Amino acid sequence: MKSNKFLILKLFFIVIGFQFLFNISKVEAAEEIKIIYSIFSRTINVDSLKTYANKGYSTKKLKRILKATGSTDKEIRAVLNKDFEVPITIANKLVYSEIGNVFLTRLSSIIHPSRANDERTGMLALRASVIQGINLGNGKINLVNFFEGYPTKTVILNVNALSKVMNKVESISELLDFFTNSPLDKIKTN
């Protein structure tokens, strides 16, 4: 009995010691979204975006940014709160599949960590964000959960890269239908 207590105490100090020696920090959730458009940038606090999505309240800064979209508050809140129900096992298969890797790699040019110099880092952060977002939403994911699950303090949203992708896709609804219906049905059967 005494040796078990000693072993637990020893393991506790080893874990704490490694954190201090190797400066291992807890992975934080995203706190801000930095929107980059050409040479301009604006930062949105994730908590204020969540409050806006849930209750409709927004800061002056957020109001100015959202006004630039040309959409109504109702439309923006609907997009932010749109839940996609995806079982975690299916999401895991999807983000680790070949098509998932291609999709996440391309998406990493639009959404990526602030200090990422390569597509792979962005892809890994997106993968983690999807899985953590579904976990936070209890089997459902929306944009707010996605950003809350992002594993870095600052998320970069590159509007120029998004515009290039949007020019290639006729409509977002077609893109969402494709990625939420077709691949999921195929993965469910495998």
Side-chain angles (χ1 to χ4, degrees):
M1 187 72 170
K2 194 172 188 174
S3 65
N4 283 343
K5 287 182 182 179
F6 180 71
L7 180 62
I8 292 171
L9 190 61
K10 194 175 183 181
L11 286 173
F12 175 75
F13 284 116
I14 289 172
V15 170
I16 298 298
F18 271 114
Q19 287 182 342
F20 286 118
L21 288 173
F22 297 109
N23 197 17
I24 300 172
S25 60
K26 179 182 169 192
V27 174
E28 302 287 329
E31 294 176 10
E32 58 188 18
I33 304 164
K34 187 172 186 177
I35 302 169
I36 297 174
Y37 182 70
S38 192
I39 59 171
F40 302 103
S41 70
R42 294 285 183 256
T43 303
I44 296 175
N45 186 300
V46 174
D47 286 338
S48 67
L49 189 65
K50 183 178 181 178
T51 301
Y52 173 74
N54 293 334
K55 299 177 182 172
Y57 307 129
S58 64
T59 62
K60 288 180 183 180
K61 184 178 183 180
L62 183 59
K63 279 182 186 180
R64 283 193 305 262
I65 293 170
L66 296 176
K67 188 177 181 180
T69 65
S71 300
T72 65
D73 282 352
K74 186 177 180 181
E75 291 171 330
I76 295 169
R77 288 184 65 209
V79 168
L80 291 173
N81 289 314
K82 173 73 175 158
D83 283 330
F84 296 95
E85 189 170 346
V86 183
I88 196 91
T89 54
I90 292 174
N92 190 45
K93 285 182 181 180
L94 183 61
V95 297
Y96 282 96
S97 69
E98 286 183 45
I99 193 168
N101 286 334
V102 170
F103 181 71
L104 292 175
T105 300
R106 289 183 181 168
L107 189 59
S108 71
S109 68
I110 300 168
I111 302 170
H112 55 85
S114 60
R115 295 188 179 126
N117 295 328
D118 61 319
E119 291 176 339
R120 179 160 169 72
T121 304
M123 182 191 71
L124 293 173
L126 288 168
R127 185 180 289 157
S129 182
V130 168
I131 300 299
Q132 183 62 15
I134 292 170
N135 185 40
L136 290 170
N138 295 320
K140 297 178 182 177
I141 189 166
N142 59 32
L143 281 175
V144 174
N145 289 346
F146 172 81
F147 286 120
E148 283 183 315
Y150 206 83
T152 62
K153 181 180 175 184
T154 303
V155 181
I156 302 296
L157 176 59
N158 187 330
V159 177
N160 294 329
L162 179 61
S163 296
K164 289 177 186 175
V165 170
M166 294 302 295
N167 289 336
K168 293 179 183 177
V169 177
E170 286 187 27
S171 76
I172 287 293
S173 61
E174 289 176 6
L175 182 67
L176 289 175
D177 285 342
F178 174 77
F179 280 107
T180 58
N181 296 328
S182 303
L184 292 179
D185 291 337
K186 291 176 185 173
I187 290 172
K188 287 178 188 176
T189 59
N190 289 340

